[in-house]
Amino acid sequence: MELRVLSYFLAVAREQSIIRAAESLNLSQPTLSTQLKGLEAELGKQLLIRGTKGSRKVTLTEEGMILRRRAEEIMSLVKKTEREISMSDETIVGDVFIGAGETDAVRFVARAAMELYRTYPGIHYHFSSGNTVFVSEQLDKGLIDFGIVFGNVDHGKYNSVELPFKDVWGVLMRKESPLAQKNLVKPEDLWDKPLIVPDQIESKATLTEWIGKELSVLDVVATYNLLFNASLLVEEGMGYAIGLDKIINTSGDSRICFRPLSPERTAGLSIVWKKHQTFSKASEKFMEKLRNLPSKL
């Protein structure tokens, strides 16, 4: 499977038309069609559903959609590799790719990036946001250099540096809620409330231990993977969202507030990278800066 042909396939998927894709690639339509048929023959699967004469729109089969996702990842990794190699001389320039969940610890990373920028303005940063599962997948595929993750680290796969602070678990609620009058939320305060909880297995385990009941016997009205979306559900009165502090701005005119859990529950944070990974010079400098930052945000 050639990268050139994968790029042709992606152009067709993007344009939803062999004619328009051929024009964008400066190829003749017969040439492009031949390349695509060769790709289908190589894989032994139909990738495209060609439209009839009255409709020239091209759609992807299920196998075509799978190939599109993988091809986008492959082409992204190729571009990342090309940049790293082309910039591997003595000049410290290049790209650092970071994946992170929703956490105030991103400020720590931002501080490292800003301080490094003063010395090496040719380093550029690219952030991908998602939960721990997303970050781990991006790391494993080589699409990011570093990931910020919560909880335990799989030291069989990753090297890591534990960040010198923890995020605090608590509850987002509307300011007129009776629970908002309390400074801390206890487990029994939530036993009869409509709950909005994170969908990650590790987070659910933490909450089950704290609340003293299986989540299945509680009134869980929704789950989330990004707390911002959960906060909108809270604003609309759907329930109480259990999540981490300092992610949602609850100051000023905000309709919601945050109350920590009692007994306290915290989430440790680490920055991780794949074992045996070869860093670009830009990534090496970034890691050095992270290790040498003071511990307080």
Side-chain angles (χ1 to χ4, degrees):
M1 189 185 306
E2 298 182 28
L3 292 176
R4 171 178 53 83
V5 180
L6 279 182
S7 69
Y8 293 170
F9 170 76
L10 287 175
V12 174
R14 181 177 62 251
E15 298 290 345
Q16 297 184 327
S17 165
I18 293 177
I19 294 175
R20 290 198 299 271
E23 291 173 351
S24 71
L25 295 167
N26 293 318
L27 294 174
S28 68
Q29 182 184 343
T31 298
L32 180 55
S33 295
T34 299
Q35 295 289 336
L36 294 172
K37 289 178 181 177
L39 180 60
E40 289 178 319
E42 180 182 353
L43 296 175
K45 295 290 183 179
Q46 182 181 357
L47 303 173
L48 304 169
I49 301 173
R50 282 86 171 166
T52 61
K53 289 184 179 180
S55 172
R56 296 181 176 179
K57 183 177 180 180
V58 173
T59 56
L60 300 181
T61 64
E62 183 177 351
E63 291 79 8
M65 289 187 284
I66 292 172
L67 180 60
R68 180 179 186 173
R69 290 196 297 271
R70 295 293 181 255
E72 287 173 342
E73 292 170 356
I74 290 168
M75 298 308 293
S76 176
L77 185 57
V78 167
K79 291 178 181 177
K80 179 175 180 287
T81 303
E82 288 174 345
R83 284 195 297 267
E84 290 176 351
I85 292 174
S86 65
M87 295 175 177
S88 62
D89 55 16
E90 292 304 314
T91 303
I92 307 297
V93 297
D95 300 283
V96 178
F97 294 82
I98 304 164
E102 292 179 301
T103 169
D104 197 53
V106 172
R107 296 179 185 274
F108 188 82
V109 174
R111 183 194 298 174
M114 282 301 300
E115 292 193 8
L116 199 60
Y117 177 79
R118 298 188 183 105
T119 307
Y120 304 108
I123 298 178
H124 303 282
Y125 303 88
H126 308 273
F127 285 84
S128 299
S129 298
N131 59 22
T132 298
V133 173
F134 168 83
V135 172
S136 297
E137 288 177 350
Q138 294 285 294
L139 273 173
D140 294 343
K141 293 172 181 175
L143 297 175
I144 58 176
D145 302 309
F146 303 101
I148 299 175
V149 298
F150 296 98
N152 297 326
V153 174
D154 183 352
H155 293 290
K157 294 172 62 176
Y158 308 117
N159 292 319
S160 67
V161 172
E162 186 175 353
L163 297 179
F165 38 81
K166 298 180 183 295
D167 282 351
V168 176
W169 283 97
V171 183
L172 286 173
M173 64 191 76
R174 290 169 65 110
K175 287 183 176 177
E176 64 268 23
S177 164
L179 287 185
Q181 306 306 312
K182 298 188 174 187
N183 293 324
L184 300 170
V185 174
K186 297 181 178 180
E188 56 268 27
D189 294 331
L190 299 179
W191 287 349
D192 61 347
K193 301 294 189 297
L195 303 179
I196 302 166
V197 302
D199 61 6
Q200 289 182 238
I201 294 175
E202 297 85 354
S203 298
K204 286 182 177 179
T206 297
L207 296 181
T208 298
E209 179 187 2
W210 174 81
I211 208 165
K213 291 179 179 288
E214 292 294 329
L215 296 182
S216 59
V217 304
L218 299 173
D219 185 14
V220 177
V221 297
T223 63
Y224 70 87
N225 69 338
L226 294 175
L227 189 57
F228 175 76
N229 291 335
S231 73
L232 299 181
L233 301 182
V234 173
E235 282 192 21
E236 296 305 316
M238 191 169 177
Y240 297 75
I242 304 177
L244 297 172
D245 195 9
K246 298 180 181 178
I247 297 172
I248 304 301
N249 184 3
T250 59
S251 61
D253 296 331
S254 173
R255 297 163 58 190
I256 60 179
C257 60
F258 180 91
R259 296 292 182 265
L261 302 183
S262 176
E264 183 184 58
R265 285 293 184 275
T266 59
L269 291 154
S270 299
I271 187 160
V272 302
W273 62 96
K274 287 174 65 175
K275 282 196 168 184
H276 314 299
Q277 178 170 335
T278 301
F279 281 139
S280 66
K281 291 184 178 180
S283 296
E284 287 178 354
K285 289 296 182 184
F286 178 73
M287 175 53 70
E288 289 175 12
K289 180 57 67 174
L290 276 179
R291 290 180 184 275
N292 293 324
L293 280 179
S295 60
K296 292 185 178 181
L297 283 171

